[in-house]
Amino acid sequence: MGNHGYKGNIFPVNPKYEEIEGIKCYPNTASIPSEIDVILVAVPEQSVISVLEEAGKAKVKSAIIYSAGFSEIGEEGKRKQQKIKQIAGESGMLICGPNCVGIIGFHHKIAMSFSQFLDASKLIPGNIAFISQSGALGGALLNRIQDQSIGISYFISTGNEAVLESSDFMEYLLNEPSTTVMMALIEGIKDAEKFLRVADLAIRKKKPIVVMKVGKTESGGKAASSHTGSMTGSDRVYDAVFKQKGILRVDEIDDLYLTASALAKCRRPRGNRVGIITTTGGGGVILTDKLVEMGMDIPALSPDTAAKLKETKASFGIVSNPLDLTAQVVNDPLLFPKSIESFVQDENLDIIVVALAMVGGEKSRERASYIIQASHATEKPIVTWWASGSLSTPGMKMLEESQVPLFTSPHRAVEALNALVQYSQFLRNYNDEGKPTISSSVDNPLKNMTFLSTSYGSLTEDEGREILSYYGIPIPKGGVSKNLEEAKKIASKLGYPLVLKIVSPQIKHKTEAGGVKLNIRNEEQMVGAYQDIMRSTMNYKPDAEVKGVLVQEMVPPGKEVIVGMTLDPQFGPMVMFGLGGIFVEILKDFSLRHAPLRERDAWEMVKEIKGYKILEGFRGEKQADLGAIVSTLLTLSRMAIDLKNVFSEVDINPLVVYPDRGGVKAVDCLFIRKREADKEVVG
Amino acid sequence: MGNHGYKGNIFPVNPKYEEIEGIKCYPNTASIPSEIDVILVAVPEQSVISVLEEAGKAKVKSAIIYSAGFSEIGEEGKRKQQKIKQIAGESGMLICGPNCVGIIGFHHKIAMSFSQFLDASKLIPGNIAFISQSGALGGALLNRIQDQSIGISYFISTGNEAVLESSDFMEYLLNEPSTTVMMALIEGIKDAEKFLRVADLAIRKKKPIVVMKVGKTESGGKAASSHTGSMTGSDRVYDAVFKQKGILRVDEIDDLYLTASALAKCRRPRGNRVGIITTTGGGGVILTDKLVEMGMDIPALSPDTAAKLKETKASFGIVSNPLDLTAQVVNDPLLFPKSIESFVQDENLDIIVVALAMVGGEKSRERASYIIQASHATEKPIVTWWASGSLSTPGMKMLEESQVPLFTSPHRAVEALNALVQYSQFLRNYNDEGKPTISSSVDNPLKNMTFLSTSYGSLTEDEGREILSYYGIPIPKGGVSKNLEEAKKIASKLGYPLVLKIVSPQIKHKTEAGGVKLNIRNEEQMVGAYQDIMRSTMNYKPDAEVKGVLVQEMVPPGKEVIVGMTLDPQFGPMVMFGLGGIFVEILKDFSLRHAPLRERDAWEMVKEIKGYKILEGFRGEKQADLGAIVSTLLTLSRMAIDLKNVFSEVDINPLVVYPDRGGVKAVDCLFIRKREADKEVVG
């Protein structure tokens, strides 16, 4: 621990030794003649509890437990880990681990870790905090990260997170001035509410969080009866929450630290317009491919820039973006800095990427220094992609140690740029207006719906319709008939064409049961349809309790979408949106957000599905009433918060959407109760 | 050029010098007293032609032209380049370039290049040939590649490809024994037929070709009137051709050489079942995520392996795949080699991935040597992912110099593994049976279709139907009526329900023109529909020549798909398949192959679209007649070859597919003629 220059007191504890590496050793924590900030627990697993208990008595403030053999090995380990939690609760001790490789403070040279990474010759301090649930992988990456001169403020291996979890450390780091960017390698989040709170704080503090969340393919295995329920696997939920909270999710390990480094080094770009300067035409094409794929803009240069560049060198060839300097740059060395300067001044560009190929030795230092100089004179991010290898080390090292991010892969460069752009955009669009409205209390009409506290399983459609009505979601006209005569009466009031649907708490999938008849055009057809329904449903489920038949107006056709709510076991109420039928079921083309939604979230949900073009109108069709969808999603969000203790899943399927400002109609709905919480209603 | 040990003769040519670097210099090529294998042309662009002419006269066998200033700078440059081509034709000289950085032969130390890469201390020979259209980028990558001890046979910078193009070099390399794998960085292919021929030869020689094709986002800008035509951008065409020919396309630069290296080092795996041994649990999860995403299998270990591993170490914890060795591996160093050995012997596994974390110094060498030893004793590919950095250099270097591929990114490792698996699978499935049948001559019935040589623009539907009939593609019954009376007669033969469609060479989009009436149930409705059609189409296009009205049986509903043919400007006839409507138009969910198709190609086309599940049957529906689709695609392929000089686009939209063995029906078709070649019919 002292190897890296830590100057504070260290007290080894071991009953067998008098001293360790020349430092006096104590038989136990109690015998240390000093207040203890933190103990590092590296004893066999069976001694951990007694060491902690002793430390608790000695008023030790915190502990880092390296020892393994807890929740990661199964049930017995979980019980022992519970005991750690209990000691923390009783003693007030802050505990990191168990099964972690510890914590390293790079600024204060506090190396409280047993990671072999500490064999590195020096610790490079910086502004990025690195939180890793995986200790072994975290330590390995630290080595790679610091090889590239990327500075770190803290490395925190959280291990099994018996007490302190990733979010706790993030919260600390948000208030810790040396950290400006956080990156986290996690498999999951324990306390979702805490995480959401910390994420909100991170937005206010403008400190970006880059996350690599692994374990995408875990099969949730959750049985779900509604579309919404079955469509929302936990990884999609994480994706949705991250997006909503401006957390930058990356898919590859290299993107984790390279993106964090770009965020730590660069100012926030004003937009997504990228200028490319390259000494290799092919490199310019590769960058263009990837930038376009990520939705970035590669605009034309301003006439000013073009004129300046043409003047710089008459035989320049083609002046465009990407700007290919060709071998010309060898004959005219000033072409390089002049081009960068013109790009920096071009008001059409927000970001500049410089692509370098095979430039070695002293020449590589010259190129690097031109780039670094230019970066000092502008607020625009300048990033570099250098395609060659060891021959360019001199220049690469200069860039690594500068404020200019260096990438050896164009793909990693563009991923990081995209994160920069996304984060800046998120902060720009984020404001406290447009905050979601939540019904803080549920008023009488909802309380009067006795079925909310008495029935079980799923609601019948007429009950669901009552809730939708209360929330102001448009539904087709209609009513429940107890017999054919009543049905005829309702029909004569509504007029034809009509729809008949069975109403039975035991029949959730009405169409499957033969309990739905569409497009009934007159009384004669209705009589037949009524009898058919009765016969089919009787065959389908002879013991079903039939409450009647819903007689409903047949609404005109429109675009069919699904909106829904599901309770995620971790994050709670999630709102879902997608196009009807195969889009959601087969193509998994749906969007998801955590409730409560802001209006912006709802608009994003509508626009981010692949099938959005269908709603926009194609082949000369009119645009669907997008505003009405957004308002339905916001209402559903409110409903989700109000009723999250009553229902685990809500589907409105289909919600028919009409063109222009024609609104929506919830043509069918399914409300599925939570088993455990049948009687609670919020409010 | 002599720096790297080349022992042959070098003759500098320059009229101004007597000698260069101690070697006698000649005023011109003619004065060299020896047969010349190759001249390196590094003169200003304006002297290139005269140098070549002189060389031609001196019977020089080949030339590499470094000089730039040709087709890359515009029209004038293109003309000059044409002259180079002409000299090559007249003299028989093989010419590489212009605007290239040259050729390097790594085994013979022939460094015929001006790339600064040659500053490297040594050339590492190997089995991978690297062909790059971009010289600057190619040279830069060579430096990076050789830093990782990846050996190269030849580096060939093809430049503007005035004469020799990438395919020519590939053809040479396929017959060159030191090269076993080729990788190519290309923006495009000049001679598509030559490329296809070389690709076939590569399959026979079992030499894999890894390609990074850049320039994905070029906007084809091709106006197309059919669905098939508008859906097939040139990058999708490249994708299709590569897939069909077993060419491994990569998207990232690092994948290019890492995949090539894995292919050069590893034997072909027997399947896609991967065993993961890891010292970091998190690393195992990351590999799993990516392997599952790529469609690889991570099977359970065989009972034998599980038993052996449990015996090896009782306190092992969980024995599973991925196998997490945990910190246990430090206490029991033999656990590592024993685990690898058990995995190698497990008949459930085809490939083994070993993930290493923070292991430094001598320990890293120990781990590496265990892996290398294991790899000698098995035919199964073993690959490694090492997450740490410079502290593990000793072990990493050992792996780099061994036959075990080393990756520092799990994503790159899995991409390379996937390529290994795909290529092996391709070779296994490839055989000369199932070769496509092509009508070598078109016989009389087709010749009798006078409209093939007389009409212009697009065919009318009845003409299209005649072609479909000839090829045996099922169409609905029907006939063209010249007037209402004829229509009634045809109707009475066919029976109701019926469809009426306008027949006019000037009306391509019949529905838009109001020229289609569906579901006509009786004669009365037909009379009205007939008159409606006449009125609407008259309004739509008053000068349209109306040849009549097609009276057609209304076929029962089924799944609607689109099959089509389009002529790619480079590759020629391509066959396309997709689901009807929004799937193709909005989601771009279609598959494409170059004609002629093999039966396997057709099956792949059907199965690779995202909407395949819809054809398979979902929600209890029956499977659509996939065999009938495949056979239609094969017929279309035959038709594409026969008629590629007549039609530029053919659409069958919709082709209605019935369940089980119910077959298909081509309900509508559109044949669009090539403008230039209206009168040629193959055969």
Side-chain angles (χ1 to χ4, degrees):
Chain A
M1 187 163 156
N3 289 351
H4 289 285
Y6 175 63
K7 300 287 184 231
N9 292 321
I10 299 171
F11 306 100
V13 176
N14 191 313
K16 291 190 201 145
Y17 301 99
E18 287 293 311
E19 59 175 47
I20 290 176
E21 293 191 16
I23 307 179
K24 181 175 160 44
C25 187
Y26 296 85
N28 51 45
T29 316
S31 57
I32 299 173
S34 165
E35 210 173 287
I36 304 297
D37 291 321
V38 55
I39 53 165
L40 310 184
V41 182
V43 298
E45 153 268 310
Q46 53 273 28
S47 312
V48 168
I49 300 299
S50 61
V51 165
L52 287 180
E53 282 171 340
E54 190 186 276
K57 281 180 206 142
K59 307 274 180 237
V60 166
K61 291 182 195 152
S62 61
I64 298 172
I65 308 172
Y66 299 157
S67 320
F70 294 88
S71 69
E72 82 280 10
I73 63 154
E75 282 313 312
E76 203 199 318
K78 275 185 192 156
R79 274 192 299 279
K80 282 188 206 155
Q81 189 162 312
Q82 197 50 40
K83 185 76 187 147
I84 295 178
K85 202 171 170 180
Q86 191 188 321
I87 296 172
E90 289 163 6
S91 66
M93 205 167 11
L94 298 170
I95 294 180
C96 174
N99 190 24
C100 76
V101 306
I103 296 178
I104 304 172
F106 284 67
H107 289 280
H108 306 98
K109 315 292 179 202
I110 309 179
M112 301 181 290
S113 169
F114 68 95
S115 172
Q116 222 194 319
F117 156 71
L118 291 169
D119 289 352
S121 57
K122 59 171 180 171
L123 302 180
I124 304 169
N127 303 120
I128 303 167
F130 178 18
I131 296 167
S132 182
Q133 284 176 348
S134 170
L137 189 52
L141 290 177
L142 265 189
N143 179 212
R144 183 122 57 100
I145 291 168
Q146 297 241 303
D147 282 349
Q148 293 169 50
S149 303
I150 296 174
I152 298 291
S153 59
Y154 288 93
F155 168 66
I156 297 159
S157 154
T158 61
N160 292 0
E161 304 193 343
V163 180
L164 294 175
E165 59 183 286
S166 308
S167 310
D168 293 303
F169 291 104
M170 285 182 186
E171 191 171 11
Y172 170 80
L173 293 162
L174 286 170
N175 293 304
E176 191 280 316
S178 80
T179 302
T180 59
V181 175
M182 275 174 284
M183 62 186 196
L185 178 62
I186 58 171
E187 286 187 52
I189 286 162
K190 291 212 160 175
D191 182 339
E193 271 187 43
K194 188 191 285 176
F195 175 79
L196 291 168
R197 223 168 43 233
V198 170
D200 282 331
L201 180 62
I203 298 168
R204 287 198 299 278
K205 294 272 182 181
K206 296 187 173 24
K207 291 192 183 182
I209 302 176
V210 187
V211 167
M212 177 153 175
K213 149 83 177 69
V214 303
K216 296 181 177 186
T217 44
E218 70 180 315
S219 59
K222 186 170 61 116
S225 315
S226 72
H227 289 302
T228 308
S230 61
M231 284 306 128
T232 55
S234 97
D235 198 70
R236 293 286 296 254
V237 171
Y238 274 102
D239 243 5
V241 168
F242 290 158
K243 196 176 264 178
Q244 210 166 346
K245 297 294 179 187
I247 287 171
L248 300 159
R249 184 176 189 171
V250 295
D251 268 339
E252 300 204 10
I253 283 183
D254 293 346
D255 288 331
L256 183 63
Y257 59 88
L258 291 172
T259 297
S261 172
L263 284 158
K265 285 184 167 189
C266 297
R267 292 176 212 251
R268 307 286 163 256
R270 281 171 312 170
N272 71 345
R273 301 169 307 165
V274 182
I276 301 170
I277 295 173
T278 176
T279 58
T280 146
V285 178
I286 293 173
L287 283 166
T288 302
D289 278 352
K290 180 73 179 169
L291 284 163
V292 169
E293 184 196 319
M294 303 296 283
M296 309 259 242
D297 193 13
I298 305 171
L301 299 175
S302 75
D304 242 33
T305 310
K308 244 185 288 177
L309 284 170
K310 274 179 187 146
E311 189 180 287
T312 301
K313 186 70 195 167
S315 75
F316 193 101
I318 302 151
V319 169
S320 65
N321 184 19
L323 183 70
D324 184 359
L325 301 182
T326 71
Q328 195 64 33
V329 73
V330 179
N331 305 331
D332 177 3
L334 285 183
L335 188 57
F336 187 70
K338 279 183 189 159
S339 304
I340 299 177
E341 202 192 312
S342 330
F343 268 51
V344 161
Q345 285 165 8
D346 191 322
E347 75 257 5
N348 281 3
L349 303 175
D350 303 310
I351 294 165
I352 290 126
V353 184
V354 182
L356 294 157
M358 190 56 261
V359 197
E362 197 44 46
K363 202 84 196 160
S364 75
R365 294 179 59 86
E366 185 190 302
R367 293 274 164 87
S369 62
Y370 281 136
I371 299 169
I372 294 167
Q373 265 168 45
S375 81
H376 290 153
T378 179
E379 306 243 311
K380 293 182 185 176
I382 303 182
V383 307
T384 50
W385 160 40
W386 211 317
S388 50
S390 55
L391 289 167
S392 308
T393 303
M396 287 190 185
K397 264 288 151 213
M398 279 179 68
L399 288 171
E400 282 179 352
E401 286 161 11
S402 79
Q403 284 300 102
V404 177
L406 169 72
F407 299 87
T408 55
S409 152
H411 288 79
R412 304 283 76 76
V414 175
E415 290 283 350
L417 278 183
N418 186 49
L420 263 181
V421 168
Q422 293 303 320
Y423 187 68
S424 311
Q425 223 159 52
F426 181 88
L427 287 187
R428 256 198 313 279
N429 294 338
Y430 192 90
N431 55 44
D432 280 339
E433 288 170 63
K435 250 194 187 161
T437 41
I438 303 172
S439 320
S440 59
S441 73
V442 173
D443 47 18
N444 291 333
L446 204 50
K447 286 254 156 99
N448 290 343
M449 296 179 197
T450 48
F451 55 80
L452 284 181
S453 49
T454 55
S455 74
Y456 291 86
S458 55
L459 298 191
T460 57
E461 189 178 344
D462 61 312
E463 292 166 343
R465 283 163 54 89
E466 223 175 299
I467 300 180
L468 296 182
S469 283
Y470 165 67
Y471 279 96
I473 294 176
I475 53 173
K477 280 177 234 149
V480 177
S481 60
K482 296 266 184 240
N483 51 48
L484 187 53
E485 286 317 302
E486 275 187 37
K488 283 182 188 164
K489 253 184 243 163
I490 298 171
S492 68
K493 257 204 291 192
L494 293 175
Y496 293 89
L498 287 173
V499 176
L500 295 188
K501 296 184 197 172
I502 191 75
V503 179
S504 163
Q506 284 80 40
I507 298 175
K508 207 152 54 184
H509 300 294
K510 299 183 286 280
T511 304
E512 205 181 294
V516 178
K517 294 281 169 183
L518 304 175
N519 206 17
I520 297 161
R521 307 204 149 265
N522 50 48
E523 195 172 292
E524 190 195 335
Q525 284 184 12
M526 200 190 67
V527 173
Y530 198 99
Q531 287 160 347
D532 275 1
I533 284 181
M534 285 305 174
R535 207 175 310 118
S536 304
T537 52
M538 187 81 80
N539 286 336
Y540 180 77
K541 204 162 231 171
D543 55 344
E545 171 203 356
V546 172
K547 293 176 64 187
V549 169
L550 176 63
V551 183
Q552 193 179 281
E553 64 166 328
M554 173 92 186
V555 303
K559 296 266 180 274
E560 300 199 350
V561 304
I562 302 181
V563 297
M565 184 278 278
T566 182
L567 281 190
D568 181 72
Q570 275 201 287
F571 285 95
M574 305 292 302
V575 175
M576 182 259 215
F577 169 72
L579 291 177
I582 43 173
F583 281 89
V584 165
E585 283 177 63
I586 291 196
L587 303 175
K588 313 289 180 213
D589 182 27
F590 61 87
S591 54
L592 207 60
R593 288 294 186 280
H594 186 248
L597 304 182
R598 286 160 191 269
E599 190 174 332
R600 186 161 66 94
D601 296 322
W603 277 107
E604 277 177 11
M605 287 181 76
V606 172
K607 291 184 177 177
E608 84 184 24
I609 62 168
K610 291 192 201 82
Y612 172 63
K613 283 182 191 161
I614 293 168
L615 298 174
E616 261 190 314
F618 76 120
R619 277 196 197 151
E621 282 181 345
K622 285 181 178 171
Q623 190 176 64
D625 189 342
L626 303 178
I629 301 175
V630 164
S631 115
T632 308
L633 287 170
L634 291 170
T635 305
L636 205 67
S637 160
R638 207 146 46 84
M639 191 195 297
I641 299 292
D642 290 348
L643 300 176
K644 67 182 174 192
N645 292 330
V646 184
F647 299 110
S648 59
E649 294 172 37
V650 176
D651 254 11
I652 300 178
N653 178 18
L655 180 78
V656 177
V657 189
Y658 295 103
D660 294 330
R661 294 182 174 271
V664 295
K665 279 242 160 93
V667 170
D668 204 343
C669 62
L670 179 60
F671 285 76
I672 300 174
R673 302 176 149 276
K674 283 173 79 169
R675 296 206 176 187
E676 338 70 289
D678 269 0
K679 292 190 185 160
E680 294 172 52
V681 178
V682 174
Chain B
M1 188 164 155
N3 289 350
H4 288 283
Y6 175 63
K7 300 288 182 227
N9 291 322
I10 300 172
F11 305 99
V13 175
N14 191 311
K16 291 189 203 146
Y17 300 99
E18 288 290 312
E19 61 175 48
I20 290 175
E21 293 192 18
I23 306 179
K24 179 174 162 45
C25 189
Y26 296 85
N28 52 45
T29 316
S31 58
I32 299 172
S34 165
E35 210 173 287
I36 304 296
D37 291 321
V38 55
I39 54 166
L40 309 184
V41 183
V43 298
E45 153 268 310
Q46 54 273 28
S47 313
V48 168
I49 299 300
S50 61
V51 165
L52 287 180
E53 283 170 341
E54 189 186 278
K57 280 179 205 142
K59 307 273 180 237
V60 166
K61 291 182 195 151
S62 62
I64 298 173
I65 308 172
Y66 299 156
S67 320
F70 294 88
S71 70
E72 81 280 9
I73 63 155
E75 282 314 311
E76 203 200 319
K78 275 185 193 156
R79 274 193 300 277
K80 282 187 206 155
Q81 189 162 311
Q82 197 49 42
K83 184 77 186 145
I84 295 178
K85 203 171 167 180
Q86 191 189 322
I87 296 172
E90 288 163 6
S91 66
M93 209 170 1
L94 297 171
I95 295 181
C96 175
N99 190 24
C100 75
V101 306
I103 296 178
I104 304 172
F106 284 67
H107 289 280
H108 306 98
K109 314 295 178 199
I110 309 180
M112 300 180 290
S113 168
F114 68 95
S115 171
Q116 222 194 319
F117 156 71
L118 290 169
D119 289 352
S121 58
K122 59 171 180 174
L123 302 180
I124 304 169
N127 304 120
I128 303 168
F130 178 18
I131 296 167
S132 182
Q133 285 178 347
S134 170
L137 189 52
L141 290 177
L142 264 189
N143 178 211
R144 183 122 57 99
I145 291 167
Q146 297 243 303
D147 282 349
Q148 293 168 51
S149 305
I150 296 173
I152 297 291
S153 58
Y154 287 93
F155 167 67
I156 298 159
S157 154
T158 62
N160 293 2
E161 304 191 343
V163 181
L164 293 176
E165 60 182 285
S166 308
S167 311
D168 294 304
F169 291 105
M170 285 183 188
E171 191 171 10
Y172 170 79
L173 294 162
L174 286 170
N175 293 305
E176 191 280 315
S178 80
T179 301
T180 59
V181 175
M182 276 175 283
M183 62 187 197
L185 179 61
I186 57 171
E187 286 186 52
I189 286 162
K190 292 212 159 173
D191 181 339
E193 269 186 49
K194 189 192 284 177
F195 175 78
L196 292 168
R197 223 168 41 233
V198 170
D200 281 331
L201 179 62
I203 298 169
R204 287 198 299 278
K205 295 271 184 183
K206 295 188 175 17
K207 291 192 182 183
I209 303 175
V210 187
V211 168
M212 177 153 175
K213 149 85 177 67
V214 305
K216 295 182 178 185
T217 44
E218 69 178 317
S219 59
K222 184 169 66 114
S225 315
S226 73
H227 288 300
T228 307
S230 60
M231 285 304 128
T232 54
S234 97
D235 198 69
R236 293 285 296 253
V237 171
Y238 274 103
D239 243 3
V241 169
F242 290 158
K243 197 177 265 179
Q244 210 165 348
K245 296 294 180 188
I247 288 170
L248 300 159
R249 183 176 189 171
V250 295
D251 269 339
E252 300 204 9
I253 283 183
D254 292 347
D255 288 330
L256 183 63
Y257 59 87
L258 291 171
T259 297
S261 173
L263 283 158
K265 286 184 167 190
C266 296
R267 291 176 211 251
R268 307 287 162 256
R270 280 172 312 169
N272 72 344
R273 301 168 307 166
V274 182
I276 302 169
I277 296 173
T278 176
T279 58
T280 146
V285 177
I286 292 172
L287 283 167
T288 303
D289 279 353
K290 180 71 179 169
L291 284 164
V292 170
E293 184 196 320
M294 303 295 283
M296 308 260 241
D297 193 12
I298 305 170
L301 299 175
S302 75
D304 243 33
T305 310
K308 246 185 286 177
L309 284 169
K310 272 177 189 151
E311 190 179 288
T312 301
K313 186 71 196 165
S315 73
F316 192 102
I318 303 152
V319 170
S320 64
N321 184 18
L323 183 69
D324 183 0
L325 300 182
T326 72
Q328 195 66 34
V329 73
V330 180
N331 305 330
D332 177 2
L334 285 184
L335 189 55
F336 187 71
K338 280 184 190 160
S339 303
I340 300 177
E341 202 194 311
S342 328
F343 269 50
V344 161
Q345 286 164 6
D346 191 323
E347 75 258 5
N348 282 2
L349 303 175
D350 304 311
I351 295 165
I352 290 126
V353 184
V354 182
L356 294 156
M358 189 57 260
V359 197
E362 198 43 47
K363 203 82 196 158
S364 75
R365 295 179 58 86
E366 186 190 300
R367 292 273 165 88
S369 61
Y370 280 136
I371 299 170
I372 294 167
Q373 265 167 43
S375 80
H376 289 154
T378 179
E379 306 243 310
K380 294 182 184 177
I382 302 181
V383 308
T384 51
W385 160 40
W386 211 318
S388 50
S390 56
L391 289 167
S392 308
T393 303
M396 287 189 185
K397 264 287 152 214
M398 279 179 68
L399 287 172
E400 283 178 352
E401 287 162 9
S402 79
Q403 284 300 101
V404 177
L406 169 71
F407 299 87
T408 57
S409 153
H411 287 77
R412 304 283 75 77
V414 175
E415 290 282 350
L417 278 184
N418 186 50
L420 263 181
V421 168
Q422 294 303 321
Y423 187 68
S424 311
Q425 225 159 51
F426 181 88
L427 287 187
R428 255 198 314 277
N429 294 338
Y430 192 90
N431 55 43
D432 279 338
E433 288 170 62
K435 251 194 186 162
T437 41
I438 304 171
S439 319
S440 59
S441 73
V442 174
D443 46 19
N444 290 332
L446 204 51
K447 286 253 155 101
N448 292 341
M449 296 178 197
T450 48
F451 55 82
L452 284 180
S453 49
T454 55
S455 72
Y456 291 86
S458 54
L459 298 192
T460 56
E461 191 178 342
D462 61 311
E463 292 165 342
R465 283 163 54 90
E466 221 175 303
I467 300 179
L468 296 183
S469 283
Y470 165 68
Y471 279 96
I473 294 176
I475 52 172
K477 280 176 233 149
V480 178
S481 59
K482 297 263 185 243
N483 51 48
L484 187 53
E485 285 318 300
E486 273 186 37
K488 282 182 189 164
K489 253 185 242 164
I490 298 171
S492 68
K493 257 204 291 189
L494 293 175
Y496 294 89
L498 287 173
V499 176
L500 294 188
K501 296 184 197 173
I502 189 77
V503 178
S504 162
Q506 284 79 38
I507 299 176
K508 207 153 51 182
H509 299 293
K510 299 183 288 280
T511 304
E512 205 181 292
V516 178
K517 293 281 170 184
L518 304 176
N519 208 16
I520 297 161
R521 306 203 149 267
N522 50 47
E523 197 172 291
E524 189 195 334
Q525 284 183 14
M526 200 189 68
V527 173
Y530 198 100
Q531 288 161 347
D532 276 2
I533 284 181
M534 286 302 175
R535 206 175 311 118
S536 304
T537 52
M538 189 81 80
N539 287 335
Y540 180 79
K541 202 161 232 171
D543 56 344
E545 169 204 355
V546 172
K547 292 176 60 186
V549 170
L550 176 64
V551 183
Q552 193 179 281
E553 63 166 328
M554 172 93 185
V555 303
K559 297 265 179 277
E560 299 197 351
V561 304
I562 302 180
V563 298
M565 185 278 277
T566 181
L567 281 190
D568 181 73
Q570 273 202 288
F571 286 94
M574 304 291 302
V575 175
M576 183 259 216
F577 169 71
L579 291 177
I582 43 174
F583 280 88
V584 165
E585 283 177 63
I586 292 197
L587 303 175
K588 313 287 181 213
D589 181 26
F590 61 87
S591 55
L592 206 61
R593 288 294 185 280
H594 185 249
L597 303 182
R598 283 160 192 269
E599 190 175 333
R600 187 162 66 93
D601 297 323
W603 277 107
E604 278 178 11
M605 286 182 76
V606 171
K607 290 185 177 177
E608 83 184 27
I609 61 168
K610 292 193 200 83
Y612 172 61
K613 283 181 192 161
I614 293 168
L615 297 175
E616 261 190 316
F618 77 118
R619 278 195 199 153
E621 282 180 345
K622 285 180 178 171
Q623 191 177 62
D625 189 343
L626 304 178
I629 301 175
V630 164
S631 114
T632 308
L633 288 169
L634 291 171
T635 306
L636 206 67
S637 158
R638 207 147 47 85
M639 191 196 296
I641 299 291
D642 290 347
L643 300 175
K644 66 183 176 192
N645 292 330
V646 184
F647 299 109
S648 59
E649 295 172 38
V650 175
D651 253 10
I652 300 178
N653 179 19
L655 178 78
V656 176
V657 189
Y658 295 102
D660 294 332
R661 295 184 172 271
V664 295
K665 279 241 160 95
V667 170
D668 205 345
C669 62
L670 180 61
F671 285 76
I672 300 174
R673 302 175 150 277
K674 283 175 79 169
R675 294 202 178 192
E676 337 71 289
D678 268 359
K679 293 193 184 155
E680 294 173 51
V681 178
V682 175

